[in-house]
Amino acid sequence: NATCYNCPDAHYVYRKDSAIRADWRLGIPNACGKCHVQQRDEYLDSVHGRQVMGNGNPAAPICSDCHTTHDVDRPKLDAIKLTIVHNCGTCHSESLNSYANTYHGQVGKLGYAYTATCFDCHGNHGIQRVSHPQSTVHPKNRLQTCQKCHKDATPGFITFQPHANTHDYARYPSMWIASKFMIALLLGVFAFFWTHSVLWFYRENRDRREGKSAPHVVTGELPQLQDKHFSRFGPAWRIAHLAFALSVMMLVLTGMAVLYAETGWAKFIVGALGGPRVAGILHRVSAAIMLGIFFIHLVYMAIRVVPKWKWSNWFGPTSLVPNWKDLWDMLAMFKWFLGKGPRPAFDRWTYWEKFDYWAVFWGMAIIGGSGMMLAFKEAIASVLPGWVFNVATLVHGEEAILAAVFLFTVHFFNNHFRPDKLPPPDIVMFTGTVALEEFRREHPLEYQRLVETGELARHLVDAPSRPMTLGYRVLGITLIAFGLILLILVLVGFLGSMAG
């Protein structure tokens, strides 16, 4: 076994004199090679070894830079593998940063080393430049290297760019364009809707203080309407909403724990779940539930709704398709915010409800589409180049941030934290019904139309029982609390990544 005296000039190890230290570093490979002959020979023929032994460059990596000096341990241990990855980053800092943003690197940041590390791709003692024909990442050898982990890898894999970044347009134009698009999308959406929410809170709160938010239907003077609710959502809508909400929250929890793997909370969550593999299974199951609900909705619309609609219904008052009235309502709403006009009257669907609805289509296309690509890499790489995985990873994460923060700020405000909705939660999506007073206030045009056509009565139902109301309130508060906790975790991760 190696002892202190097996290393060259042991008494000079801690000397600060640069010349002596340089000589000591140049002697380390041969000293280690007394026992590790094969590794020494591979190292001496590597790009690092030629720099040290051929060019006499003491700054080039030697054995102790990767394996350390006094804490040398078995490199098969996870902790040692991860230490070696960070040691590589002392020289290749930009490559370490770009690697850390891949799924391989994120799993490593969580403290697990079963995914590909630097030496799994580049080799260890015999590392060569990418252009060298013996390099494991040379274009001719790259597919074989990928197939060590991805046994069914196709030639599309070799164009995956494990060190792509978003600031080098010349080398990675697709990443640069995707990044700038997502940044503009996030800034645009949040700038508009957060401003919308702040102004809305201010105006609605002011009107409540001034007594301008009184109900429009005085049910106490109309015995036939006492304790009546308006039936707004059927059982299918309510079940789908609950399943969708639960699956999305699990997706946010498991997805953000990987995206912000460097945070303490991410390591705790992933560890509590049983590791990245279990978290990945939960993520995929939740994604399947979410996509399944969306697919069932599309099938229902295609079979039951679309054939019965006339062309006039597509842009009618009960349609979720945006129309010009939504634009005028939005402009009128801002005028009301600023005290320049009355509050606009809404029909069955408001413009922000339509945005919520259609945003899901965008989210399914971007988050769902990119997620499917990443889940079925071998199949995708058989028809598309590997660089699409770089773009898919980027937009999947950025769109997930957009969806999570939007849901837990804007959507929660619109439905639970507006002054007219306080105290939360609004349980209409659980009970399916809304108090007639609130329905008349929130959707006066639909109410008036139903009164004029004599159809209001058939939409009226008894108010939910007190036990049912209490149970749904507890469920609503629980989901809101969990959503706000997720929001805090996402913001902690985002701010930490920006500071880093």
Side-chain angles (χ1 to χ4, degrees):
N1 293 330
T3 64
C4 305
Y5 298 101
N6 294 126
C7 294
D9 299 324
H11 296 287
Y12 293 135
V13 169
Y14 298 106
R15 291 283 297 270
K16 301 300 181 182
D17 183 278
S18 59
I20 295 177
R21 186 167 181 80
D23 289 341
W24 172 75
R25 285 181 58 84
L26 293 175
I28 287 292
N30 283 324
C32 294
K34 293 176 183 178
C35 297
H36 305 283
V37 178
Q38 180 181 346
Q39 289 83 357
R40 178 199 61 189
D41 292 344
E42 292 176 355
Y43 170 79
L44 293 178
D45 189 45
S46 73
V47 63
H48 295 151
R50 287 194 295 273
Q51 283 290 315
V52 172
M53 307 308 291
N55 299 337
N57 179 9
I62 58 174
C63 313
S64 55
D65 290 321
C66 295
H67 294 281
T68 72
T69 49
H70 302 100
D71 296 325
V72 177
D73 210 330
R74 295 183 182 275
K76 291 185 178 181
L77 296 176
D78 281 4
I80 304 304
K81 289 181 180 179
L82 297 177
T83 297
I84 292 175
V85 169
H86 286 284
N87 289 344
C88 293
T90 58
C91 295
H92 306 282
S93 57
E94 185 173 350
S95 295
L96 177 62
N97 291 334
S98 56
Y99 164 78
N101 291 327
T102 67
Y103 180 73
H104 296 151
Q106 289 164 342
V107 170
K109 286 191 290 185
L110 288 168
Y112 301 82
Y114 64 81
T115 56
T117 58
C118 311
F119 45 86
D120 289 308
C121 297
H122 293 276
N124 39 44
H125 302 100
I127 297 174
Q128 303 291 350
R129 295 188 182 278
V130 176
S131 58
H132 194 287
Q134 294 182 0
S135 170
T136 54
V137 291
H138 185 277
K140 293 183 179 180
N141 305 325
R142 198 172 298 168
L143 180 59
Q144 184 178 358
T145 299
C146 293
Q147 288 174 338
K148 290 191 299 183
C149 297
H150 304 276
K151 298 186 183 304
D152 298 324
T154 60
F157 266 69
I158 67 173
T159 58
F160 171 68
Q161 299 162 332
H163 296 295
N165 59 63
T166 59
H167 56 265
D168 190 343
Y169 177 81
R171 296 180 64 188
Y172 312 110
S174 59
M175 288 287 285
W176 189 91
I177 293 171
S179 171
K180 301 306 178 283
F181 173 78
M182 293 306 302
I183 291 173
L185 180 64
L186 266 71
L187 291 177
V189 169
F190 290 130
F192 178 84
F193 281 101
W194 283 351
T195 300
H196 186 276
S197 298
V198 170
L199 292 175
W200 194 352
F201 183 89
Y202 163 77
R203 183 65 191 190
E204 198 163 272
N205 188 55
R206 177 178 172 180
D207 282 1
R208 284 175 64 85
R209 293 201 311 267
E210 296 175 357
K212 296 180 180 180
S213 298
H216 295 275
V217 180
V218 186
T219 57
E221 298 176 3
L222 301 171
Q224 70 274 23
L225 299 181
Q226 189 73 30
D227 296 326
K228 289 295 182 180
H229 274 217
F230 181 83
S231 181
R232 185 160 167 79
F233 299 105
W237 278 89
R238 290 147 53 194
I239 295 172
H241 178 271
L242 179 58
F244 200 86
L246 292 174
S247 63
V248 166
M249 287 184 174
M250 180 56 71
L251 284 168
V252 172
L253 179 66
T254 53
M256 292 298 145
V258 173
L259 186 62
Y260 298 122
E262 68 279 359
T263 62
W265 68 261
K267 294 180 174 66
F268 173 80
I269 292 295
V270 173
L273 291 175
R277 287 191 175 95
V278 178
I281 292 172
L282 291 174
H283 194 78
R284 287 172 173 80
V285 170
S286 299
I289 293 173
M290 180 186 70
L291 292 171
I293 294 170
F294 180 70
F295 179 75
I296 291 172
H297 173 72
L298 292 181
V299 172
Y300 172 80
M301 294 292 289
I303 295 176
R304 296 291 302 275
V305 177
V306 175
K308 297 179 181 179
W309 274 19
K310 299 177 182 179
W311 178 253
S312 59
N313 291 336
W314 283 95
F315 298 97
T318 61
S319 173
L320 277 163
V321 177
N323 54 44
W324 286 112
K325 183 181 183 307
D326 296 314
L327 177 60
W328 310 138
D329 285 346
M330 183 180 66
L331 295 175
M333 197 72 164
F334 275 93
K335 290 181 180 179
W336 173 65
F337 290 158
L338 302 174
K340 303 297 183 180
R343 183 172 183 165
F346 297 105
D347 214 302
R348 180 170 180 78
W349 305 109
T350 63
Y351 63 86
W352 62 87
E353 289 173 328
K354 290 183 180 183
F355 182 89
D356 284 352
Y357 178 78
W358 288 102
V360 173
F361 285 78
W362 168 264
M364 292 302 100
I366 302 302
I367 299 181
S370 59
M372 293 288 284
M373 292 173 62
L374 296 171
F376 300 100
K377 297 179 288 295
E378 286 79 5
I380 298 299
S382 65
V383 294
L384 295 176
W387 59 262
V388 300
F389 297 124
N390 297 100
V391 176
T393 301
L394 172 67
V395 300
H396 191 75
E398 297 293 315
E399 182 66 21
I401 294 173
L402 172 61
V405 176
F406 183 90
L407 284 172
F408 303 140
T409 57
V410 178
H411 183 72
F412 273 14
F413 171 79
N414 292 345
N415 293 279
H416 303 291
F417 294 118
R418 286 167 38 203
D420 279 353
K421 295 283 189 178
L422 297 176
D426 183 343
I427 58 174
V428 62
M429 282 308 304
F430 300 132
T431 64
T433 68
V434 60
L436 192 57
E437 296 92 336
E438 182 179 349
F439 171 65
R440 172 63 178 87
R441 182 177 68 246
E442 296 289 327
H443 304 276
L445 296 184
E446 184 182 17
Y447 174 85
Q448 186 63 36
R449 185 174 62 257
L450 293 174
V451 169
E452 292 175 353
T453 59
E455 296 181 2
L456 180 64
R458 70 185 185 90
H459 293 280
L460 298 181
V461 296
D462 292 333
S465 65
R466 288 181 60 85
M468 179 182 291
T469 300
L470 178 60
Y472 281 137
R473 285 196 176 278
V474 171
L475 175 61
I477 290 173
T478 301
L479 291 176
I480 290 174
F482 190 54
L484 293 178
I485 291 172
L486 289 174
L487 174 64
I488 293 172
L489 296 180
V490 171
L491 293 178
V492 168
F494 177 78
L495 294 175
S497 66
M498 295 294 289

